[in-house]
Amino acid sequence: MAPLIIVSGPAGSGKSTLIRAALQEGRFRGRLRLAVSATTRPARQNEKDGVDYHFWSQARFDEALAREELLEHAKVHGLYCYGTPRGEVDGYREKGMGVLLDIDVQGAAQVRSLYPDHVSIFVKLPRRELYEERIVKRGSETEETLRRRLETARKELEREGEYQHVVVNDDRETAIREFSELIAAAFDRAAP
């Protein structure tokens, strides 16, 4: 079965950049996909339903929970619910497609117990103060949401030891190379 790769890390750590680079890499093209999470938060400008997220109402999310359609779920930053629909993972892996899960530490803990063959990668910055700099540069946070994200980052960093691999995103190109090599190794281990 194709690999399931769990990727977590605080907001601003560069997870999305590493994932995008891996998905565009020739050796993974057609063999690797990013699972699309469901969320109850509203779509941001330029986000597309079914591409960036499945944007669900709270009622739809609760229904999916009741039907056990989610592999994992969490309330993030105390605001919105996020979860991974089962349909985003199992069928693809059975067909030989590797799946990346970009999920928080709570969700990762839930998925690890369901898929003992997973590979888990924690992405972090070399210094804590860089998180605030990166999040502020986005220009999308209020003082309150910035405070909440930094507190969440602190708690997430305390859990990096739960992951099989840690990529320190100090130099972008080096981090991309390390991340891609971990994915390639996951495919090698999954090969029959």
Side-chain angles (χ1 to χ4, degrees), residues 84-99:
T84 304
R86 289 183 183 279
E88 289 287 328
V89 175
D90 295 333
Y92 290 98
R93 290 185 71 208
E94 289 166 7
K95 293 175 187 169
M97 176 79 66
V99 178

Side-chain angles (χ1 to χ4, degrees), residues 71-85:
L71 292 174
E72 57 83 27
H73 67 282
K75 193 164 213 169
V76 179
H77 307 301
L79 294 174
Y80 300 111
C81 296
Y82 289 79
T84 304

Side-chain angles (χ1 to χ4, degrees), residues 16-188:
S16 297
T17 299
L18 299 181
I19 289 169
R20 254 191 321 276
L23 290 170
Q24 292 170 359
E25 195 170 320
R27 63 180 163 171
F28 303 131
R29 202 163 285 132
R31 299 176 59 209
L32 183 66
R33 72 180 300 273
L34 175 62
V36 180
S37 297
T39 183
T40 59
R41 80 160 170 76
R44 294 179 182 136
Q45 189 175 355
N46 299 322
E47 286 183 326
K48 292 182 176 57
D49 186 43
V51 176
D52 299 294
Y53 285 95
H54 298 289
F55 293 101
W56 291 353
S57 66
Q58 186 65 55
R60 170 69 181 95
F61 197 92
D62 293 342
E63 184 180 301
L65 276 175
R67 292 184 180 173
E68 298 183 359
E69 295 173 358
L70 297 175
L71 292 174
E72 57 83 27
H73 67 282
K75 193 164 213 169
V76 179
H77 307 301
L79 294 174
Y80 300 111
C81 296
Y82 289 79
T84 304
R86 289 183 183 279
E88 289 287 328
V89 175
D90 295 333
Y92 290 98
R93 290 185 71 208
E94 289 166 7
K95 293 175 187 169
M97 176 79 66
V99 178
L100 287 165
L101 291 181
D102 179 356
I103 56 179
D104 76 331
V105 294
Q106 297 171 70
Q110 294 171 48
V111 173
R112 281 194 300 266
S113 65
L114 296 173
Y115 297 90
D117 63 336
H118 74 275
V119 172
S120 60
I121 305 170
F122 190 85
V123 180
K124 70 177 198 171
L125 296 174
R127 295 182 319 282
R128 287 187 183 219
E129 60 273 8
L130 292 175
Y131 292 102
E132 183 170 0
E133 288 175 23
R134 284 191 174 192
I135 294 170
V136 167
K137 277 184 188 176
R138 291 179 179 174
S140 61
E141 304 298 324
T142 65
E143 210 41 57
E144 174 61 22
T145 58
L146 174 62
R147 184 193 60 73
R148 206 174 350 210
R149 283 186 177 271
L150 292 174
E151 178 58 22
T152 300
R154 185 190 62 74
K155 290 177 182 174
E156 288 174 332
L157 288 164
E158 291 171 358
R159 297 181 66 176
E160 79 174 77
E162 297 173 15
Y163 291 76
Q164 296 161 332
H165 307 280
V166 175
V167 172
V168 179
N169 192 1
D170 191 9
D171 173 73
R172 183 174 176 257
E173 294 309 313
T174 301
I176 288 171
R177 189 170 43 257
E178 287 176 20
F179 187 76
S180 291
E181 288 308 315
L182 290 170
I183 293 171
F187 272 102
D188 291 345

